[in-house]
């Protein structure tokens, strides 16, 4: 609905729109005898910036017999003092600008107003990454403020081909999203598909990146996610340089990157700061940790319950002796210990940092030692869970999937032995192979196999070789083309 040329009527409409909210500030003044008003929301604008951008220029406006259009033109010209100065003509435009930290100037006799970017709300300063730690390289993380995050990316990609496109999502929250990509590397079809997926979001409130991932993934039934998140601007710059598309959410210090590949969960920032042979060893350990974190409890149950003949006589004798003193069946015992581990991990994560470390002491030393001493839990089983827990910490990005894999593996191995584990592994492999995001298979470059892309799979190629062959994700869709840029 368009605003009225009557100032008081427009102000009344704004008050009704905001329900007479106490944080709506309205300052009336006159410029050359014409009534005007400045609308702001408490805490969203900077008083110092507003004085410099608006009130100081108005002090110089002393035109006799001025018309409302003269003041509007004067403010639009003086709007050069602001990084953003835009006209507003509807109540919806005014509400969106006010909620984004703009100051809106309304002029009596004009059916339009001027919105000045004078944001002054407090935001968190740039800090170190909290979830993607590294020893070398960048120590900056994305910010809660969308503009700050955009500047961190621009500092690392000083190219006119870098594109930032903003849009709104959330029926009530009207959260600002920013699509980030490099023109010429990200296919236009993928960019259009991302915009279409985001445009279909009808949620009332966009509270974080988790609200976007289900809409960007093509396979809602996939066990693994076709999107990844990162809080590091250097990682984000490297991803979009490969032809990917990132989505920033205002108020969230994380970015959604799509498409994501399964193999990327085993890559770390420090891999690219060390020699290739050391990166190979690190990645080999991560792959091994994934297998042990997800399948070791099930394999242990399958071997001890259904296939004890594969164990050495000494190990089997010790297992039998330890299990004779426990009151529970081995499978139930494993479920209890796995559940206790998940409870302690969740408690350590949710508790304040000052007392979070006490959970590991109480859980690992007091409860674990007491349970073994009292005969409720066998020592070998506790060792298996300890190894499993340690391995799961190596891959934090796959923690939700590993948690579910452990539980399913316990049932598969405990009920059907190695046959159950084989079927379980095959189902997970088929599910991962069927997954894709934006037409890029999740298991690329293994399935479908792309030889040139395997240079950064297990054994990382040197930078001299990398600079000669530049691979983008478009070449991983199984079409057979290389699409080198």
């Amino acid at each position: 609905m368009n605003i009225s040329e009557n100032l008081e009527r427009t102000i009344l409409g704004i008050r009704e729109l905001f329900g007479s909210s106490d944080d709506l500030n309205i300052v009336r003044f006159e410029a050359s005898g014409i009534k005007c008003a400045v609308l702001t929301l408490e805490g969203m604008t900077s008083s110092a910036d507003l004085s410099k951008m608006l009130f100081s220029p108005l002090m110089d406006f002393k035109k006799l017999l001025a018309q409302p259009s003269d003041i509007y033109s004067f403010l639009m010209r003086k709007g050069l003092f602001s990084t953003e100065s835009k006209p507003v003509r509807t109540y919806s435009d005014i509400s969106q600008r006010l909620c984004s930290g703009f100051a809106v100037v309304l002029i009596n006799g004009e059916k339009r107003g001027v919105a000045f970017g004078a944001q002054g709300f407090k935001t968190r300063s740039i800090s170190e990454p909290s979830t993607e730690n590294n020893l070398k390289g960048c120590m900056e993380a994305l910010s809660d403020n969308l503009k700050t995050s955009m500047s961190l990316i621009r500092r690392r990609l000083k190219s006119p081909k870098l594109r930032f496109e903003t849009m709104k999502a959330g029926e009530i929250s009207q959260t600002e999203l920013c699509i980030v990509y490099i023109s010429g590397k990200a296919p236009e079809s993928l960019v259009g598909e991302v915009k279409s997926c985001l445009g279909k979001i009808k949620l009332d409130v966009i509270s974080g990146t988790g609200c976007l991932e289900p809409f960007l993934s093509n396979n809602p039934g996939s066990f693994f996610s076709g999107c990844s998140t990162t809080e590091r601007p250097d990682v984000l710059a490297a991803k979009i340089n490969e032809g990917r598309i990132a989505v920033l959410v205002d108020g969230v210090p994380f970015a959604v990157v799509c498409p994501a590949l399964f193999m990327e969960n085993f890559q770390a920032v420090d891999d690219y700061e060390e020699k290739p042979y050391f990166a190979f060893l690190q990645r080999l350990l991560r792959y091994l940790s994934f297998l042990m974190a997800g399948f070791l409890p099930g394999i242990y149950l399958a071997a001890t319950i259904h296939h004890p003949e594969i164990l050495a006589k000494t190990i089997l004798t010790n297992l039998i002796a330890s299990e004779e003193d426990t009151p529970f069946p081995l499978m139930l015992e494993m479920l209890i210990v796995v559940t206790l581990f998940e409870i302690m991990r969740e408690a350590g994560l949710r508790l304040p940092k000052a007392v979070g470390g006490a959970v590991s002491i109480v859980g690992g030393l007091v409860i674990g030692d007491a349970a073994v001493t009292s005969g409720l839990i066998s020592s070998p089983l506790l060792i298996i869970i300890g190894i499993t827990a340690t391995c799961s910490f190596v891959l934090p990005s796959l923690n939700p999937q590993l948690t579910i894999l452990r539980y399913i593996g316990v049932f598969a191995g405990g009920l059907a032995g190695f046959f159950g584990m084989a079927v379980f592994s095959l189902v997970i492999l088929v599910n991962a192979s069927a997954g894709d995001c934006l037409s890029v298979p999740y298991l690329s470059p293994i399935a479908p196999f792309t030889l040139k892309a395997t240079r950064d799979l297990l054994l990382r190629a040197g930078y001299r070789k990398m600079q000669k062959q530049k691979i983008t994700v478009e070449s991983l869709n199984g079409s057979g083309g290389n699409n080198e840029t």
Side-chain angles (χ1 to χ4, degrees), residues 112-148:
R112 52 188 175 174
V114 182
F116 290 93
Q119 289 86 347
F121 46 84
K122 300 297 182 180
T123 58
R124 184 170 60 95
S125 59
I126 299 175
S127 59
E128 294 186 9
S130 59
T131 60
E132 299 175 76
N133 298 324
N134 65 302
L135 298 176
K136 299 180 181 179
C138 169
M139 293 295 179
E140 292 179 334
L142 295 174
S143 172
D144 296 324
N145 185 272
L146 183 61
K147 304 297 182 183
T148 304

Side-chain angles (χ1 to χ4, degrees), residues 6-39:
N6 185 286
L7 179 61
E8 296 302 325
R9 187 178 301 171
T10 300
I11 292 177
L12 181 61
I14 294 295
R15 287 188 181 276
E16 292 178 353
L17 182 64
F18 280 87
S20 299
S21 179
D22 290 338
D23 65 339
L24 177 62
N25 297 326
I26 301 176
V27 179
R28 292 177 172 82
F29 65 94
E30 289 190 4
S32 296
I34 298 176
K35 295 181 179 181
C36 303
V38 179
L39 279 62

Side-chain angles (χ1 to χ4, degrees), residues 223-225 290 294 396-406 442:
F223 184 72
F224 298 93
S225 175
F290 171 78
S397 61
L398 288 175
N399 182 68
Q401 289 82 4
L402 287 174
T403 300
I404 302 301
L405 286 177
R406 272 195 296 273
Y442 184 64

